Amino acid sequence: MLEDTTALVTGASQGIGREIATTFGGYGANVVCAARSADAIDETAAAVTDAGGEAVAVETDVTAEDDVAAVVEATVDEFGGLDCLVNNAGIGGPVQPVHRIDADAFRRTQEVNVVGPFLCAKHAEEHLRESDRGSVINIGSIGGKRPYPNRLAYAASKMALVGMTRTLAYELGRDGVTVNTVLPGPIEGPRVEEMVAKQAELAGVERAEPADIGPDDFALAEFMLDASEVAEQVAYLASERGRHITAQEIGVDAGGTWY
């Protein structure tokens, strides 16, 4: 499905990013695995190769423009072009009510979750325009399209991706480049467990499980997701099958997106 496709996946060291990179490899893609953790992206690159793709790992801080320019250049040098940019790198940000949020923590969340994707799109766009199947897939969150109490910095950053997606779709669309955001619901794993624990602490609850985070807010009774479900949606959007899907926010969220 993704043969002869070259993808740059940020935040590829773990979680959804690693799953996306590995899934792309399984569909025959060339994958550049980018993240700040050199050892972890080496592991991801090895997993991509094991899955059947070709991969390189490039240590990258998406908030540093020189790093972003370098990873895009490395992608083109290694594989001859760039067809797909997956903006997955992100942080959870502070878990506090608004009056307790440190301003620097708020700014840091926007730097990683908003400025990072902007810089990647800025430096990738000329190569995506040259591709015969260019695509950008931003990894957002249901937190950008519904209330997320005590997660103001994160929710604001993910809503910003919606505006970025729609605008980029129109800027790049005449050259056949599609731009979409995928909105994952809660993903099984340590990150959601950490967030639930912090919310429980704020609420004065001794213990909470991910399954307690709000089952009435989802259409499906089983609302915890596996990262592979998100990765498959991303792969579809990057493929020829998704060539007419653009400027959209697509929830993979058990019915947790509100509009």
Side-chain angles (χ1 to χ4, degrees):
M1 185 166 72
L2 294 174
E3 295 85 356
D4 300 320
T5 295
T6 295
L8 168 58
V9 181
T10 69
S13 60
Q14 61 182 334
I16 295 175
R18 176 171 288 183
E19 192 69 35
I20 291 169
T22 305
T23 298
F24 273 45
Y27 285 123
N30 307 315
V31 184
V32 175
C33 306
R36 291 181 299 170
S37 174
D39 291 343
I41 53 174
D42 284 343
E43 293 174 4
T44 301
V48 171
T49 302
D50 289 345
E54 297 291 331
V56 294
V58 181
E59 188 174 353
T60 307
D61 178 351
V62 297
T63 69
E65 187 161 7
D66 287 348
D67 275 20
V68 172
V71 73
V72 171
E73 183 178 359
T75 301
V76 175
D77 288 347
E78 181 71 24
F79 295 114
L82 174 59
D83 305 299
C84 177
L85 168 64
V86 181
N87 281 317
N88 170 73
I91 58 174
V95 181
Q96 293 285 350
V98 61
H99 63 283
R100 294 182 183 173
I101 295 175
D102 178 78
D104 286 340
F106 185 93
R107 292 188 187 97
R108 176 61 180 168
T109 306
Q110 311 316 307
E111 280 286 321
V112 177
N113 295 1
V114 182
V115 177
F118 150 69
L119 290 175
C120 290
K122 173 183 175 180
H123 287 275
E125 63 91 19
E126 66 173 304
H127 304 291
L128 296 171
R129 290 181 191 272
E130 292 171 357
S131 169
D132 58 4
R133 180 66 191 92
S135 64
V136 179
I137 300 109
N138 297 316
I139 305 302
S141 168
I142 60 174
K145 299 194 75 172
R146 58 176 290 170
Y148 241 33
N150 303 315
R151 302 290 306 282
L152 179 65
Y154 182 77
S157 71
K158 294 304 184 179
M159 190 63 199
L161 279 182
V162 172
M164 188 183 301
T165 294
R166 294 178 182 180
T167 301
L168 280 174
Y170 277 86
E171 285 194 13
L172 306 183
R174 295 300 177 184
D175 289 309
V177 180
T178 61
V179 187
N180 294 285
T181 294
V182 172
L183 310 172
I187 304 291
E188 292 181 354
R191 182 166 177 174
V192 71
E193 292 170 0
E194 178 185 1
M195 290 299 111
V196 170
K198 289 180 178 179
Q199 292 280 22
E201 182 180 354
L202 283 175
V205 177
E206 290 187 4
R207 182 180 178 186
E209 301 292 339
D212 300 329
I213 63 177
D216 293 339
D217 291 336
F218 296 86
L220 297 179
E222 295 184 4
F223 57 86
M224 296 296 296
L225 307 174
D226 187 86
S228 63
E229 299 176 76
V230 178
E232 290 291 345
Q233 180 64 70
V234 174
Y236 180 87
L237 292 172
S239 75
E240 189 66 25
R241 300 174 188 177
R243 67 189 182 280
H244 288 127
I245 303 172
T246 196
Q248 302 301 309
E249 303 90 51
I250 300 169
V252 183
D253 60 4
T257 303
W258 284 20
Y259 67 93

